[in-house]
Amino acid sequence: MILVTGATGTIGGHVVRLLIERGVPFRAMSRRERPGGVRADFDDPASLARAVVGVDTVFLVTVPPVPTADHDIALLAAARAAGVRKIVKLSAIGSGERFDGGTVGAWHLAAEEAIQASGLAWTMLRPPSFGSNFLWYRALIQAGQPIPALTGDARQAVVDPRDVAAVAVAAMTSDAHDGQRYDLTGPELLTFADQASILERVLGRPVEITDAGAPDQLPAGVITGIRWARAGGAAYVTDHVRRVLGRPGGTFEQWARDHREAFAAMP
Ligand SMILES: NC(=O)c1ccc[n+]([C@@H]2O[C@H](COP(=O)([O-])OP(=O)(O)OC[C@H]3O[C@@H](n4cnc5c(N)ncnc54)[C@H](OP(=O)(O)O)[C@@H]3O)[C@@H](O)[C@H]2O)c1
């Protein structure tokens, strides 16, 4: 039995679809009551204890409002008590890099370290920006308003979230990826402007961007990561998606083509 946390989110949603397609038994976790799912909250240890009963493997997605490893550690405690065997954690590229007096993804790194120290089997997935982040800006794009280029002119190997999910499923359904830390990049380096012009071509409408600099109203841990990416820290491509899936990762253009309708619908 697999417990999918973040099951209503971007990557967890794709993981759920793949597990259904493959007939793999799983339990989808959400803070809301949903048919066939388990209702649990990382801030409620008793609910986590219920969610992990009879579970062998956990797909761990955390998005705490303030970046700490508390949610990962709460799940880890419940998992250990219930005899869970493996955790596949969604982390982020560059976690642990030192930059500008701070640490990139410090909370993800702390969570990775706690999982590694726990004695459970693990796989860490470290993607860069998801192509799907452009969906955050649907309303601005529809209104013809510019969208913020947080990473300035820096290039990143933006990844298709479906590939991240496919690697997660591979790691959860085989022992071949135990103890691996994968940097799950897409196949090509693109600036935010490159992505906007690809989207513009696919949608057939203007997609304007504006560079207002790295935002300073976000939590410190997040800002360090954005500044690191702005300085080109994430400007590299790996073959980890191909290594796991036996095919190259999808391009941003393909992702955009497959989601054309989503940009036409009201957000
Ligand atoms: N976006 C990127 O470009 C990017 C790049 C690299 C790494 N990442 C990492 O990816 C992760 C985010 O993944 P995602 O984009 O798939 O997530 P997402 O779409 O933001 O979804 C968040 C999920 O977390 C669940 N959730 C939130 N608070 C919860 C709580 N207190 N207890 C239980 N569940 C809770 C939500 O479920 P309910 O609302 O149904 O409860 C939802 O399913 C983050 O760790 C981020 O650092 C993101």
Side-chain angles (χ1 to χ4, degrees):
M1 174 60 72
I2 290 173
L3 176 69
V4 181
T5 70
T8 59
T10 304
I11 305 296
H14 288 303
V15 165
V16 162
R17 274 186 282 282
L18 288 173
L19 293 175
I20 291 171
E21 263 173 44
R22 293 178 196 183
V24 178
F26 71 93
R27 196 177 289 159
M29 180 173 129
S30 166
R31 287 166 296 178
R32 282 162 289 158
E33 203 75 62
R34 298 173 77 243
V38 58
R39 184 166 158 223
D41 189 319
F42 287 118
D43 289 318
D44 175 0
S47 71
L48 293 179
R50 287 192 296 274
V52 292
V53 170
V55 166
D56 173 79
T57 298
V58 173
F59 180 53
L60 182 55
V61 179
T62 51
V63 284
V66 177
T68 70
D70 293 358
H71 283 182
D72 298 78
I73 287 166
L75 186 287
L76 181 60
R80 291 183 71 179
V84 166
R85 196 177 57 82
K86 175 152 75 177
I87 295 187
V88 175
K89 173 176 163 58
L90 179 56
S91 180
I93 199 165
S95 294
E97 294 279 335
R98 300 286 303 164
F99 183 77
D100 205 15
T103 302
V104 176
W107 73 98
H108 276 314
L109 181 70
E112 288 190 11
E113 287 175 347
I115 293 165
Q116 281 179 253
S118 72
L120 270 62
W122 53 266
T123 308
M124 308 301 176
L125 311 181
R126 292 176 153 206
S129 283
F130 307 156
S132 51
N133 291 352
F134 268 78
L135 289 171
W136 297 340
Y137 305 119
R138 267 196 300 172
L140 288 176
I141 293 170
Q142 285 173 358
Q145 304 271 325
I147 57 179
L150 300 184
T151 46
D153 292 332
R155 297 191 304 160
Q156 288 191 72
V158 51
V159 68
D160 187 323
R162 296 172 295 189
D163 290 337
V164 178
V167 170
V169 169
M172 289 191 288
T173 52
S174 152
D175 292 341
H177 308 288
D178 289 6
Q180 298 294 317
R181 184 177 281 102
Y182 292 124
D183 281 350
L184 298 179
T185 75
E188 56 189 350
L189 289 171
L190 299 171
T191 64
F192 200 74
D194 293 334
Q195 288 183 77
S197 60
I198 290 169
L199 194 56
E200 193 163 80
R201 209 166 56 236
V202 168
L203 300 182
R205 62 185 302 161
V207 178
E208 282 180 38
I209 62 169
T210 178
D211 184 1
D216 49 17
Q217 72 277 25
L218 293 172
V222 176
I223 291 176
T224 303
I226 292 173
R227 294 214 174 108
W228 172 78
R230 264 184 97 84
Y236 59 91
V237 174
T238 72
D239 68 349
H240 297 182
V241 168
R242 182 198 288 273
R243 214 194 282 171
V244 177
L245 302 182
R247 58 155 178 85
T251 62
F252 179 69
E253 176 155 359
Q254 189 59 53
W255 178 86
R257 287 188 189 291
D258 293 345
H259 293 82
R260 213 187 324 232
E261 297 307 318
F263 286 94
M266 282 311 289

